[in-house]
Amino acid sequence: MYRLCCIFLLLLCHFSVAADLLQTPENANTPFKIAVLQQHDRAALVEHAQATVNYLNTVFTDIRFTMQVDNAQNIIQQAAEFDFMFVSPSVAVQLEKDYQGQALATLRHWIDRQAQHQISNVLFTHAKRDDIQSLQDVRGKLLALVDQHSFSGWLLSQYQLQNYMDLAEVHLRPQDSALSLAQKVAQDLVDVGSLPSGVLEQLAQQGQIKLDEFKILAPKQGSLPLLHSGNLYPEWAWIASPRVSQAMLDNVAISLLTMARKDDYGWAIPANYQPVHKVLQSLRYPPYENFGKITFDELFKQHANWFYFGLAAFFAVLIASLNFTYLYHKISKVQANLEAELKERLRTEEALQAAIEQAELSNRSKSQFLANMSHELRTPLNAVIGYSEMLQEEAEDLGQTNYLPDLKKIHGAGKHLLALINDILDLSKIEAGKMDLYLETFNINDMISDVITTIQPLIDKNHNHLEVHCVDDLGTMHADLTKVRQNLFNLLSNASKFTKNGNVALYITRETTGGNDWVVFRICDSGIGMSPEQQEKIFSAFIQADASTTRQFGGTGLGLAITKKFCEMMGGQIKVESQEGIGSTFMIRLPATVVEEILDDDEIGPRHIYQGHILIVDRDTNLRDNLKRTLVEQGYEVFVATDAKQALKLTYKTHPNFVILDSEIPEGWSILVNFKTNADLQHIPVIVTTEQDHQVRAKSLGAVAYLEKPFEMPALLELLQKHRTHKHWSCLVIEDDINARTALVKLLEHANWFVFEAHSGQMGLRFIRHHRPDLILLDLNLPEMNGFEFIRQLRSKPQWRSIPIIVITARDLSPAEQKRLNTEVESILFKGTYTREQLLDTIDGLVYAVASGSKDVEQGTA
């Protein structure tokens, strides 16, 4: 009875833990809350935040984002209630330090057509004020500002001025707006004004002030077009709360970085906010109010380890002293009997040594056993199964038959769980590439006979009839006998489980196709059958036809997934045909002689050169399919749309190199007008197709070419080649050094490339999953994943193998590494040995080869 209760409690705990693990951590119906900082001198950023929230709501159709505008104090106090926050650099630093916030993106601001993600501070005065020539002259003067909590509007002014004077000597005069401040400086009503960099210039561009009325104090020439009074610091940040999952962080970060520019604002990869920390520490501004002060709490925090070490040492000495006293008295007590016991100990020494050696041997065996994960999982289950069998026998002997049903359920559940673990381990080995093939030659008829003998009890259980159709001598097969037999057993057991009082048939034939010998197994049943929707997902792991099937027939949904994997490992395939209520037929087709494939790098064939994206907008299904098939063969990645709304959505998502537009669809001409009047789309060449003569109208609305239906494919390909250009192609720069990455980005943007950035190989792969670039510039020495691993993973995907790669590295390559790269990338450039012109020439030469349709892109180094 006691053993039965223990086993029941153990099973109850096991299923309770499993239930806890299956709980969902997040509620998908709860909207994500976004806090936006309101500052008087940066009011335009609230509008950009609203545009960003609207954009995220369109990207994530199953998730809702809401926005709340508030001041810095409320946002910091309520930070735990928000998922994302769009704040100034000083607030971002406080959220990072006190609330473990994480920067996902930094604001990018276009000024004079140049993209900037840095800001500073401008201290300026009236141009005719000869008494104020430098920052030292601000002492005792009247200084106007908009917001005393603005990082670039005032905190940076404090940081600059504290080197020259006591800030108490400066008289502050708050203003309602940046325009009011600038006007009062121009009217000489205040001595000095303080604004964020770029704000003064924007006021001048809007015609509200004249720049020649002012002069900048302590000007510095940086990456901004405007002179500024100090160093540059990162712009406003998009901060994520630690409660947001990593998967959501990745998706939001990629969405922000790929968001189109809106009203001169956009997003860049997160900048380094460490300089902001230093400024706030110097000013002792939150969260560094107590920076540099020595308090007991700080002292304890700094030396807590030493305090705990001393306390632990004291107790250790005390315990050692007590133990020593106890041992001393004990030794004194047994000392008299030591001589008598010595002889006995000598006699037992040999036996003890032998026991030690046996224990060490057992320990090594145990370690080896525990090192194998499969044994570690199976052992407790085997114990449960064994004890349940023993308890059944004991219950029968004691006449306690009322326990037998429960014990049988425990035994059945243990067997079921053991089979599940075996299947999971097999599937895990396959996915990890650790499942090996053990090829041998065997007689097919003998193998079929063994399978039939094993499966017959399952056939009889549901009162089914099994038929086997094959010739008497099927010959031999060279394959993995165990996996072939397991595949047949899985399919036959499924057929017998889903069929009652029916027929199950096994057909075995040999076929010769293309000079290769194949063995085909067909398993047919007259069971419940499947719908087309169920057939599409039947080979996925842990998935059965539907929930009702699982409840009625049981099973884990792993058998068919493993069968499919085994077939693919042996170079074969599995197919299914089924009708609901009639039955199912599974077909396994395996080579009669299985060969393990070993690829040599030198034997890998040339890759197809990627030609670009094309969007086809047409309602004619046959024409769309023919166009797509022809263009894919030519190396293009093709997207299709059937109406204006879908066409514009795909255009913003995929950035196509060409659009082939049927003007006869509803709003067809309006699509063309929209393309040529939108600054973000007007660079995309549009080829108009129509069944009527609208050539003049198409040309007048901006189409680069016109084709009258029906048209020949060579004519379309000729037009694509004629109007192909590289100036709007995209490039992904993967470089962990921010200075080197920024230099490459600016160089390519100056050459009219659409440039994306990634600071690691993993980030680059995540980006490519959403937006495929035309070219990749890759550094080999990257954190987390080096360049070689990035190339391997990129080339392992068939849809990415044609993306050209140029390696830019400072690494000394070994001959083996050089040979490996020569087969995987288009060119190798060593840092410090090439000029900007050489880099652009290399890229231009590569693009020219791609654009001209050359399959053999020259590889080399510079």
Side-chain angles (χ1 to χ4, degrees):
M1 184 66 180
Y2 173 77
R3 295 165 66 187
L4 288 173
C5 292
C6 291
I7 292 174
F8 177 78
L9 289 175
L10 285 173
L11 289 173
L12 185 62
C13 293
H14 170 76
F15 289 113
S16 175
V17 171
D20 291 340
L21 292 176
L22 292 174
Q23 292 180 357
T24 302
E26 296 181 359
N27 184 359
N29 296 324
T30 302
F32 284 86
K33 297 175 64 177
I34 302 173
V36 178
L37 177 63
Q38 175 72 64
Q39 280 192 352
H40 296 298
D41 54 358
R42 304 301 296 273
L45 299 187
V46 175
E47 298 179 4
H48 178 64
Q50 184 62 63
T52 301
V53 172
N54 295 339
Y55 166 74
L56 291 177
N57 279 321
T58 61
V59 173
F60 300 91
T61 56
D62 55 344
I63 300 175
R64 188 163 57 91
F65 295 83
T66 62
M67 187 179 91
Q68 177 179 331
V69 180
D70 212 332
N71 58 43
Q73 182 179 1
N74 290 339
I75 290 177
I76 293 172
Q77 290 177 350
Q78 303 173 19
E81 301 178 9
F82 298 111
D83 300 288
F84 301 98
M85 290 149 280
F86 178 39
V87 293
S88 65
S90 59
V91 179
V93 163
Q94 188 160 359
L95 293 173
E96 282 183 350
K97 184 176 184 296
D98 295 341
Y99 299 96
Q100 291 75 51
Q102 178 182 350
L104 295 186
T106 295
L107 183 68
R108 176 178 287 178
H109 186 193
W110 272 262
I111 303 176
D112 283 352
R113 300 182 181 178
Q114 296 187 33
Q116 309 294 334
H117 57 272
Q118 293 176 304
I119 57 174
S120 184
N121 167 263
V122 179
L123 286 165
F124 61 98
T125 185
H126 195 281
K128 296 182 179 181
R129 289 292 296 267
D130 296 332
D131 59 325
I132 304 178
Q133 298 293 339
S134 63
L135 294 179
Q136 293 91 326
D137 299 331
V138 179
R139 179 184 287 108
K141 297 298 190 295
L142 187 62
L143 189 147
L145 53 87
V146 177
D147 187 349
Q148 294 189 30
H149 299 288
S150 173
F151 178 74
S152 57
W154 172 237
L155 296 182
L156 289 179
S157 293
Q158 287 184 269
Y159 183 66
Q160 297 296 325
L161 294 174
Q162 70 177 1
N163 297 323
Y164 305 102
M165 65 197 72
D166 186 347
L167 294 176
E169 301 179 70
V170 180
H171 307 292
L172 302 182
R173 180 66 59 84
Q175 301 297 318
D176 295 333
S177 65
L179 177 60
S180 174
L181 185 153
Q183 289 174 342
K184 289 188 178 181
V185 174
Q187 297 167 8
D188 210 12
L189 297 179
V190 294
D191 299 314
V192 180
S194 175
L195 285 175
S197 60
V199 172
L200 196 63
E201 185 180 43
Q202 286 180 324
L203 293 176
Q205 290 176 347
Q206 296 167 2
Q208 300 184 68
I209 62 172
K210 296 181 179 180
L211 279 181
D212 57 6
E213 295 179 348
F214 308 105
K215 61 181 175 182
I216 310 300
L217 302 181
K220 289 190 177 182
Q221 182 63 50
S223 60
L224 293 176
L226 180 70
L227 291 177
H228 44 283
S229 299
N231 296 325
L232 296 175
Y233 297 88
E235 261 278 16
W236 283 37
W238 188 278
I239 300 295
S241 168
R243 71 181 186 176
V244 182
S245 67
Q246 186 61 47
M248 188 64 188
L249 292 182
D250 293 342
N251 291 332
V252 171
I254 292 177
S255 298
L256 291 176
L257 295 179
T258 56
M259 176 181 173
R261 184 173 68 189
K262 179 70 174 177
D263 295 333
D264 292 334
Y265 290 100
W267 295 103
I269 62 175
N272 179 16
Y273 285 85
Q274 190 60 36
V276 180
H277 285 271
K278 293 182 179 179
V279 170
L280 300 183
Q281 288 171 357
S282 176
L283 297 176
R284 291 188 179 177
Y285 190 85
Y288 295 105
E289 304 97 320
N290 299 320
F291 182 74
K293 296 180 181 179
I294 302 299
T295 63
F296 176 78
D297 291 340
E298 291 294 330
L299 189 64
F300 179 78
K301 290 180 181 178
Q302 293 179 11
H303 303 288
N305 291 337
W306 287 106
F307 174 78
Y308 290 128
F309 176 77
L311 190 63
F314 169 76
F315 282 108
V317 172
L318 179 62
I319 294 173
S321 299
L322 294 175
N323 286 336
F324 178 78
T325 302
Y326 170 76
L327 290 175
Y328 175 77
H329 289 291
K330 187 175 181 179
I331 292 174
S332 298
K333 184 177 179 180
V334 302
Q335 187 173 7
N337 300 323
L338 184 59
E339 292 182 0
E341 294 178 358
L342 181 59
K343 292 183 180 180
E344 182 66 22
R345 294 192 180 193
L346 290 175
R347 284 195 297 267
T348 59
E349 184 176 352
E350 293 183 359
L352 179 61
Q353 184 63 33
I356 291 174
E357 293 177 356
Q358 183 63 35
E360 291 176 349
L361 178 62
S362 300
N363 188 58
R364 287 194 298 270
S365 300
K366 182 193 71 172
S367 299
Q368 183 178 0
F369 173 79
L370 294 177
N372 191 323
M373 185 181 68
S374 62
H375 286 188
E376 187 176 351
L377 292 172
R378 292 186 179 107
T379 298
L381 278 176
N382 286 327
V384 171
I385 295 170
Y387 278 118
S388 65
E389 293 173 346
M390 293 169 54
L391 290 173
Q392 289 183 59
E393 295 176 359
E394 187 174 342
E396 289 176 348
D397 294 340
L398 297 176
Q400 298 176 343
T401 56
N402 56 316
Y403 292 113
L404 288 177
D406 291 335
L407 291 173
K408 290 180 179 179
K409 291 178 181 178
I410 294 173
H411 181 267
K415 296 283 287 184
H416 175 75
L417 192 55
L418 180 61
L420 174 61
I421 289 176
N422 289 336
D423 287 345
I424 292 175
L425 289 172
D426 283 345
L427 190 62
S428 300
K429 287 181 180 179
I430 295 172
E431 296 292 346
K434 296 182 179 179
M435 177 67 76
D436 296 324
L437 291 177
Y438 299 95
L439 302 180
E440 57 182 306
T441 301
F442 55 89
N443 185 277
I444 300 177
N445 293 90
D446 293 343
M447 183 267 297
I448 294 298
S449 177
D450 292 341
V451 171
I452 298 306
T453 302
T454 305
I455 202 66
Q456 192 62 51
L458 293 178
I459 298 290
D460 298 337
K461 182 178 179 180
N462 282 347
H463 308 290
N464 294 318
H465 176 66
L466 176 63
E467 299 177 359
V468 181
H469 302 273
C470 65
V471 299
D472 293 335
D473 186 10
L474 286 168
T476 61
M477 183 177 182
H478 185 73
D480 190 318
L481 174 60
T482 301
K483 292 179 175 57
V484 175
R485 188 160 45 199
Q486 182 174 344
N487 285 353
L488 294 177
F489 184 80
N490 286 343
L491 296 180
L492 287 169
S493 62
N494 279 349
S496 61
K497 179 168 64 173
F498 295 110
T499 303
K500 291 185 178 180
N501 301 313
N503 295 318
V504 177
L506 171 62
Y507 297 85
I508 309 99
T509 58
R510 295 186 78 113
E511 299 177 355
T512 301
T513 304
N516 297 321
D517 192 11
W518 299 84
V519 180
V520 181
F521 305 90
R522 290 182 176 84
I523 294 88
C524 307
D525 65 66
S526 58
I528 62 175
M530 292 178 290
S531 66
E533 293 78 13
Q534 293 170 337
Q535 295 176 46
E536 290 181 359
K537 59 183 181 180
I538 197 67
F539 293 108
S540 300
F542 301 103
I543 293 179
Q544 289 197 340
D546 55 34
S548 62
T549 303
T550 306
R551 289 192 299 268
Q552 182 177 359
F553 297 97
T556 63
L558 284 174
L560 290 177
I562 294 175
T563 300
K564 182 175 185 293
K565 296 289 186 180
F566 282 169
C567 290
E568 292 173 349
M569 287 179 63
M570 291 185 284
Q573 59 181 343
I574 181 172
K575 295 181 179 179
V576 61
E577 295 178 357
S578 181
Q579 294 184 24
E580 283 189 283
I582 297 179
S584 303
T585 297
F586 285 85
M587 183 193 75
I588 292 180
R589 192 167 184 264
L590 297 175
T593 301
V594 176
V595 179
E596 289 189 275
E597 184 177 3
I598 301 177
L599 294 178
D600 190 336
D601 289 343
D602 294 334
E603 297 176 356
I604 298 177
R607 303 185 300 273
H608 293 291
I609 298 298
Y610 169 68
Q611 301 284 14
H613 295 50
I614 289 184
L615 173 62
I616 301 174
V617 187
D618 202 305
R619 292 181 301 175
D620 188 332
T621 304
N622 294 330
L623 178 60
R624 284 203 317 268
D625 293 342
N626 290 335
L627 281 175
K628 183 174 182 179
R629 181 168 56 254
T630 301
L631 294 174
V632 168
E633 291 175 354
Q634 295 297 319
Y636 290 98
E637 186 171 0
V638 180
F639 304 89
V640 295
T642 58
D643 55 48
K645 182 178 180 180
Q646 188 181 13
L648 291 175
K649 183 178 180 180
L650 280 174
T651 300
Y652 282 111
K653 181 178 180 181
T654 63
H655 302 289
N657 300 98
F658 289 97
V659 174
I660 300 176
L661 172 65
D662 178 14
S663 63
E664 301 298 328
I665 69 169
E667 302 182 9
W669 292 111
S670 65
I671 297 177
L672 181 58
V673 173
N674 199 336
F675 267 71
K676 296 310 171 182
T677 57
N678 190 319
D680 294 330
L681 306 178
Q682 61 186 4
H683 66 277
I684 302 176
V686 179
I687 299 176
V688 172
T689 64
T690 179
E691 295 179 356
Q692 302 180 25
D693 188 3
H694 292 306
Q695 181 172 3
V696 176
R697 184 178 183 185
K699 291 288 187 179
S700 66
L701 292 178
V704 300
Y706 166 86
L707 286 173
E708 185 173 343
K709 295 181 179 180
F711 55 84
E712 298 294 332
M713 289 298 176
L716 174 61
L717 296 177
E718 183 178 353
L719 286 175
L720 293 176
Q721 204 64 28
K722 175 181 177 182
H723 295 283
R724 186 175 182 83
T725 174
H726 73 278
K727 69 177 183 179
H728 296 294
W729 286 16
S730 62
C731 177
L732 174 61
V733 178
I734 306 178
E735 168 66 70
D736 61 326
D737 185 273
I738 185 171
N739 295 324
R741 186 172 68 246
T742 301
L744 287 172
V745 169
K746 289 186 176 181
L747 176 64
L748 291 170
E749 286 181 341
H750 182 72
N752 291 321
W753 281 73
F754 195 73
V755 187
F756 301 98
E757 306 174 46
H759 58 73
S760 67
Q762 291 180 340
M763 184 177 181
L765 289 175
R766 289 198 299 269
F767 180 87
I768 295 172
R769 291 190 187 103
H770 297 81
H771 299 280
R772 170 182 173 146
D774 300 309
L775 176 67
I776 297 176
L777 297 186
L778 174 68
D779 181 24
L780 293 179
N781 295 329
L782 296 171
E784 301 174 2
M785 175 192 296
N786 63 32
F788 291 102
E789 179 61 17
F790 172 86
I791 294 172
R792 187 192 69 78
Q793 293 197 25
L794 185 78
R795 298 309 189 201
S796 68
K797 305 294 184 182
Q799 66 272 28
W800 296 344
R801 288 176 184 168
S802 61
I803 302 178
I805 299 176
I806 296 179
V807 168
I808 301 178
T809 182
R811 176 174 179 159
D812 292 330
L813 299 177
S814 66
E817 291 174 337
Q818 182 83 43
K819 181 180 178 181
R820 176 181 176 184
L821 288 176
N822 285 341
T823 63
E824 296 287 350
V825 305
E826 276 60 39
S827 186
I828 306 171
L829 301 178
F830 292 95
K831 293 181 179 179
T833 64
Y834 67 90
T835 63
R836 293 157 56 95
E837 289 75 19
Q838 287 176 325
L839 174 58
L840 290 176
D841 288 344
T842 301
I843 295 175
D844 289 341
L846 175 61
V847 172
Y848 175 79
V850 174
S852 61
S854 172
K855 298 295 183 181
D856 300 318
V857 178
E858 181 179 359
Q859 296 175 344
T861 60

